[in-house]
Amino acid sequence: MRKRTLWAGASVVGALVVAGAVAVPLVVGSPSAESAPTQGTTVSTPTPSAAPPVPHVGAAALAALPEAQYSAVIGGLMPFDRTVTADTVFRLRGDAPLFGAARTTPVARFAATDFLRQPTTVVGLERDGDWERVLTPARQELPSAAGGTAAAQTSAWVPVASLREVSIPTRRVVISTTDQSVSIVDAAGHVDQRFDAGVGTADTPTPTGVTGYLEQRYVDPAQGTGDHPIQLTSLHSSAADEPYGGHDGGLIGLHWNATTSGAVSHGCVRLDAEAVAAVDALPLGTLVTVE
């Protein structure tokens, strides 16, 4: 498989919906348990990697690991404070172990299905031997334990053998807190569509200099977003544990609201119906960068 490298630097902060939290549907997911080259084909020899070997993780040990899902806090994950312009989307072949920087002992697991009982979307950024560095939807540390500067995004290493490639996104979402806008950008960096957006206030800012991804989407009229799907990202607030109350882990989303300009939210991004529809048309796993 091709080799990928990608990033450039930054920091973090964020949050979610209308006058309160964007709640996540309380549905508990359950974990699920090439061809040979043709004659005359030139096969390149992979560059030797200095990456450590992948340790064996037995079924019982894997099941005992904490699940890296939206409300989890897992200290062994790696904070991710870079912006990214390209990714590969994977599905899991089954529950998979996640490793921190040392890649010696697993710190968490990805469940094969997410909180909506849908296949978990895995976003890969970097290949290193038998490992893929992926973004996760869990926190590494709570803001209350980090002086209000916790990472809004985390990453981990996962064995390549656990992954099945699905697609390489051709679009990404770029949020500008300065311009108060959301743009859909193609692989060459050209802006396809641009929309006005409401962003976080000074006390509850939208994170900047960080990239997450579209994790899931769902409709919940009880949250004041009508029949417009809430676009849930993998990003979290770095300013407060639960800035809007509830138990959603300080999630950040893009969602419909009647007010689509100004510094008006708890950190989430407020959009009109046309903008929500444009983001909703993008596949899960699409990168979301906040500038």
Side-chain angles (χ1 to χ4, degrees):
M1 181 181 230
R2 69 204 158 285
K3 200 171 179 181
R4 303 186 304 284
T5 41
L6 359 305
W7 34 61
S11 66
V12 196
V13 200
L16 247 221
V17 147
V18 198
V22 164
V24 172
L26 296 179
V27 179
V28 179
S30 57
S32 71
E34 291 165 69
S35 62
T38 57
Q39 187 173 4
T41 300
T42 300
V43 180
S44 60
T45 302
T47 302
S49 171
V54 176
H56 172 72
V57 181
L62 179 62
L65 292 168
E67 182 184 344
Q69 44 92 0
Y70 67 89
S71 61
V73 180
I74 301 169
L77 298 175
M78 297 179 288
F80 190 81
D81 58 357
R82 302 175 177 93
T83 57
V84 178
T85 60
D87 68 322
T88 301
V89 176
F90 299 94
R91 294 284 185 262
L92 296 166
R93 299 184 185 279
D95 284 13
L98 295 173
F99 293 76
R103 288 181 267 182
T104 55
T105 304
V107 299
R109 65 180 170 89
F110 259 150
T113 55
D114 64 18
F115 62 89
L116 291 181
R117 296 197 179 110
Q118 299 298 313
T120 295
T121 296
V122 179
V123 169
L125 304 180
E126 176 188 10
R127 179 65 55 88
D128 185 14
D130 294 328
W131 300 91
E132 182 81 13
R133 188 170 184 178
V134 299
L135 298 178
T136 94
R139 279 172 157 170
Q140 186 265 343
E141 188 176 25
L142 289 173
S144 61
T149 57
Q153 179 62 56
T154 61
S155 67
W157 290 101
V158 65
V160 172
S162 301
L163 303 173
R164 175 176 59 84
E165 184 175 324
V166 175
S167 65
I168 299 175
T170 59
R171 299 289 185 274
R172 57 193 173 94
V173 176
V174 178
I175 301 163
S176 172
T177 56
T178 301
D179 296 340
Q180 295 175 359
S181 67
V182 166
S183 298
I184 296 176
V185 180
D186 68 16
H190 301 137
V191 175
D192 287 345
Q193 295 173 282
R194 182 185 180 281
F195 306 95
D196 292 336
V199 297
T201 66
D203 292 334
T204 55
T206 303
T208 58
V210 65
T211 296
Y213 62 96
L214 292 178
E215 176 190 354
Q216 193 47 277
R217 47 176 59 108
Y218 52 88
V219 175
D220 187 357
Q223 298 191 54
T225 54
D227 58 359
H228 308 287
I230 295 168
Q231 308 294 314
L232 188 66
T233 79
S234 59
L235 297 166
H236 296 259
S237 171
S238 63
D241 297 357
E242 296 283 354
Y244 359 83
H247 303 284
D248 62 7
L251 290 169
I252 297 171
L254 294 81
H255 63 84
W256 180 88
N257 192 274
T259 302
T260 58
S261 64
V264 292
S265 78
H266 287 106
C268 58
V269 179
R270 299 180 178 186
L271 302 171
D272 64 18
E274 182 183 3
V276 171
V279 177
D280 193 55
L282 299 171
L284 296 179
T286 296
L287 296 177
V288 179
T289 293
V290 190
E291 300 177 340

